[in-house]
Amino acid sequence: MDRRSSKANNGRITRRRLLQGGAVAALVAAAGCIEEMGTEFPKNEKWPISRYTPDLPVAERSTVFEERVPELASTEITDPDGLASTLDEYELAVESIERERDVLTVEYVNTDRYDEGNVHDVALIAGGYAALVGSGYDATALGATILDDAPASFGSATVETGWATKYNDGTLTAAEYGELVVSTIESQRYEPDVDVSPDE
């Protein structure tokens, strides 16, 4: 009786080991497949990624950058007042432009924020700042404060001088330069006012 039970136990242990071995083999095979898939599609560690995105039949942010950044970057802007007047010509309502230490600051009213958002205006500012930097203006960055109609501040954006320099020397495309600048936008969103009484 002891021999039978020990043989039965040995059989169970062997089956259990066999099943465990099969499970481990299946996991190893699955891990191999996942690893292969990972090597097929490596992570994109380059930033910005505009040049790697496919063409689409709709207007994208990169299209806005490609149109608006060069439009102002090719103009002659030699000082902050020239930047403000150039932006005014493009109907961008500049409230103030001044230098604070080594940062040029611009406050402007976004009157088309519901129709176009912030990208269109910020792309123009980025292009204008590239022109200013290209003329030899020395600053660390441009800080833009976006105002609403009140006017009250509801957003901001930053243009690093290094980005503008890289755009000017051809290291960055207009789309890549614009993408870097727009990635700094911070804006406040407001809930829409709905005037409905409790009885309705």
Side-chain angles (χ1 to χ4, degrees):
M1 188 168 182
D2 290 338
R3 288 179 184 173
R4 286 179 187 169
S5 62
S6 66
K7 282 183 182 177
N9 285 338
N10 286 340
R12 273 192 224 121
I13 289 168
T14 304
R15 276 191 233 113
R16 186 176 299 149
R17 285 186 180 160
L18 183 64
L19 290 172
Q20 286 174 343
V24 170
L27 284 172
V28 169
C33 290
I34 292 168
E35 188 179 344
E36 284 179 14
M37 286 175 65
T39 54
E40 274 182 49
F41 304 103
K43 289 181 181 177
N44 183 8
E45 296 175 351
K46 295 191 181 218
W47 176 261
I49 59 170
S50 298
R51 70 173 69 173
Y52 306 110
T53 56
D55 293 331
L56 297 175
V58 295
E60 289 186 296
R61 287 193 329 183
S62 59
T63 305
V64 175
F65 306 146
E66 287 164 357
E67 290 174 356
R68 304 204 91 175
V69 168
E71 196 167 348
L72 260 72
S74 61
T75 61
E76 187 177 342
I77 301 173
T78 58
D79 56 36
D81 290 336
L83 175 60
S85 61
T86 303
L87 292 173
D88 281 337
E89 290 173 14
Y90 284 82
E91 299 181 351
L92 199 140
V94 177
E95 291 286 308
S96 70
I97 186 163
E98 57 189 32
R99 188 182 177 104
E100 294 180 8
R101 295 185 182 176
D102 58 349
V103 176
L104 182 65
T105 62
V106 176
E107 289 186 336
Y108 76 96
V109 179
N110 184 347
T111 55
D112 294 324
R113 64 187 180 282
Y114 296 116
D115 296 329
E116 297 183 337
N118 296 313
V119 173
H120 288 73
D121 292 343
V122 171
L124 278 177
I125 291 170
Y129 188 61
L132 185 60
V133 169
S135 73
Y137 184 78
D138 185 24
T140 302
L142 177 144
T145 300
I146 307 166
L147 307 173
D148 60 17
D149 300 326
S153 170
F154 83 95
S156 64
T158 303
V159 187
E160 298 284 345
T161 300
W163 299 341
T165 302
K166 286 183 178 179
Y167 168 71
N168 286 336
D169 66 22
T171 306
L172 290 175
T173 66
E176 290 168 337
Y177 173 47
E179 189 178 327
L180 288 170
V181 175
V182 168
S183 69
T184 70
I185 292 177
E186 294 182 5
S187 62
Q188 190 174 11
R189 296 188 179 187
Y190 299 98
E191 294 295 327
D193 294 328
V194 180
D195 189 15
V196 178
S197 66
D199 297 333
E200 296 176 357

